[in-house]
């Protein structure tokens, strides 16, 4: 059992393809994958859901994986004390 992540530059089509193939491989072997279909964290109060990309659905169709929608809500303000 292993926990990891699939790094990618979302602006690079080759990296998006590699990440898709890796996610499909993990799911086909019985693993779980958490995907942010918006492609990024959304910290906007005015726009609760950003544009959703269709890669998640394609991965599920290719692997017969179940999609379980979840929401992550930030309950406190993050303050960066960068130096």
């Amino acid at each position: 059992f292993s926990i990891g992540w699939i790094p990618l530059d979302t602006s690079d089509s080759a990296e998006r393809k590699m990440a898709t193939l890796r996610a499909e491989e993990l799911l086909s072997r019985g693993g779980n994958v958490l995907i942010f279909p918006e492609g990024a964290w959304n910290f906007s109060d005015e726009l609760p859901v950003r544009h959703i990309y269709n890669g998640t659905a394609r991965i599920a169709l290719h692997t017969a994986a179940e999609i379980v929608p979840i929401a992550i809500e930030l309950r406190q303000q993050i303050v960066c004390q960068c130096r």
Side-chain angles (χ1 to χ4, degrees):
F1 178 76
S2 148
I3 297 175
W5 61 290
I6 302 172
L8 76 142
D9 175 356
T10 56
S11 67
D12 184 320
S13 64
E15 286 197 27
R16 288 194 311 267
K17 179 68 174 171
M18 180 278 313
T20 298
L21 293 173
R22 179 71 178 125
E24 289 178 358
E25 175 189 348
L26 290 169
L27 289 168
S28 295
R29 292 188 350 226
N32 296 303
V33 177
L34 173 64
I35 298 174
F36 294 94
E38 298 170 279
W41 283 90
N42 180 9
F43 292 107
S44 170
D45 289 333
E46 293 79 34
L47 187 64
V49 177
R50 294 172 35 165
H51 173 81
I52 296 177
Y53 297 93
N54 63 9
T56 302
R58 278 184 306 178
I59 291 169
L61 287 172
H62 289 163
T63 62
E66 181 179 359
I67 295 176
V68 180
I70 64 168
I72 300 173
E73 183 178 347
L74 184 62
R75 294 247 176 211
Q76 57 184 326
Q77 184 177 0
I78 295 176
V79 177
C80 178
Q81 297 179 352
C82 304
R83 293 176 193 235

